[in-house]
Amino acid sequence: DQQVKQNSPSLSVQEGRISILNCDYTNSMFDYFLWYKKYPAEGPTFLISISSIKDKNEDGRFTVFLNKSAKHLSLHIVPSQPGDSAVYFCAASGIIQGAQKLVFGQGTRLTINP
Amino acid sequence: ETGVTQTPRHLVMGMTNKKSLKCEQHLGHNAMYWYKQSAKKPLELMFVYNFKEQTENNSVPSRFSPECPNSSHLFLHLHTLQPEDSALYLCASSRVRTGGTLNTGELFFGEGSRLTVL
């Protein structure tokens, strides 16, 4: 049972345009959501997060939106730059069955075309 | 440079070998983790150590044996692995609130150890 899903394994966007990466979760006990970015041969690095009490968090070119009723979050990157090409992991955090859990999605490979 | 260092970066081993992966964090964190990343799969949590005590073992086969001698070092001992264990093994660390409850969940990852089992 996959609690965090990123249904698009890959996404290709033109430089300068908006990139939108999507993530769905199933467990309403998750109360914090994070996006990680991963380059080849490197570990994931934290990008941006959002608490469940908010519906939007912005940091420069990156904005994360949370729709709790739909159990859906998205990461918007605008404008997209070639250096944004990477794999993006969505993660959800919460107390599940008495223990803190951090569950990752499968990742979406974003390619920004010049 | 994330403050989490993993060695070796690449490891090739036979099914009968015994080897170890090492992780060291320089961030003053008190929780450390092993994750496994296989192709086209989510990151899979293997082990969690809070304040040097193992608090989670996600049904990991006994051929993987973790060791956490102190809050800055974490090992993953490998023996009699199978070819399907070939993957990228990622170490991570975080700061845990007193009482063992994780904070927001932000993890700092190492660069990973790419393991190939022949």
Side-chain angles (χ1 to χ4, degrees), chain B residues 10 14 19 48-49 65 67 69-70 72 88 93 100-101 107 111 113:
Chain B
H10 299 273
K19 297 284 184 184
V48 180
Y49 278 82
S65 174
E67 179 190 359
N70 54 61
S72 298
L88 180 68
S93 70
T101 306
L107 302 179
E111 294 183 324
S113 294

Side-chain angles (χ1 to χ4, degrees), chain B residues 5-22:
Chain B
T5 305
Q6 288 186 244
T7 55
R9 294 292 309 280
H10 299 273
L11 178 62
V12 179
M13 59 188 289
M15 293 168 60
T16 58
N17 291 158
K18 285 186 179 180
K19 297 284 184 184
S20 295
L21 306 180
K22 179 183 175 183

Side-chain angles (χ1 to χ4, degrees), chain A residues 2 4 32-34 36 38 41-46 87 89 93 95 99-107, chain B residues 2 9 35 37 40-43 45 56 58 88 90 100-112:
Chain A
Q2 203 167 322
V4 179
Y32 208 82
F33 304 89
L34 308 94
Y36 284 82
K38 185 181 184 301
E42 294 184 13
T45 55
F46 171 75
V87 177
F89 290 97
S93 171
I95 304 293
Q100 179 76 39
K101 301 285 186 184
L102 179 65
V103 182
F104 285 85
Q106 313 95 303
Chain B
T2 63
R9 294 292 309 280
Y35 279 86
Q37 187 187 12
K40 299 181 182 178
K41 284 188 176 180
L43 285 168
L45 178 63
E56 190 152 346
N58 268 1
L88 180 68
L90 290 159
T101 306
L102 190 64
N103 52 12
T104 57
E106 182 179 346
L107 302 179
F108 292 77
F109 285 88
E111 294 183 324

Side-chain angles (χ1 to χ4, degrees), chain A residues 2 4-9 22-23 35 88-90 105-108:
Chain A
Q2 203 167 322
V4 179
K5 293 182 182 179
Q6 293 175 256
N7 291 316
S8 298
N22 294 302
C23 179
W35 284 94
Y88 289 79
F89 290 97
C90 166
Q106 313 95 303
T108 297

Side-chain angles (χ1 to χ4, degrees), chain A residues 91 94 113:
Chain A
N113 302 307

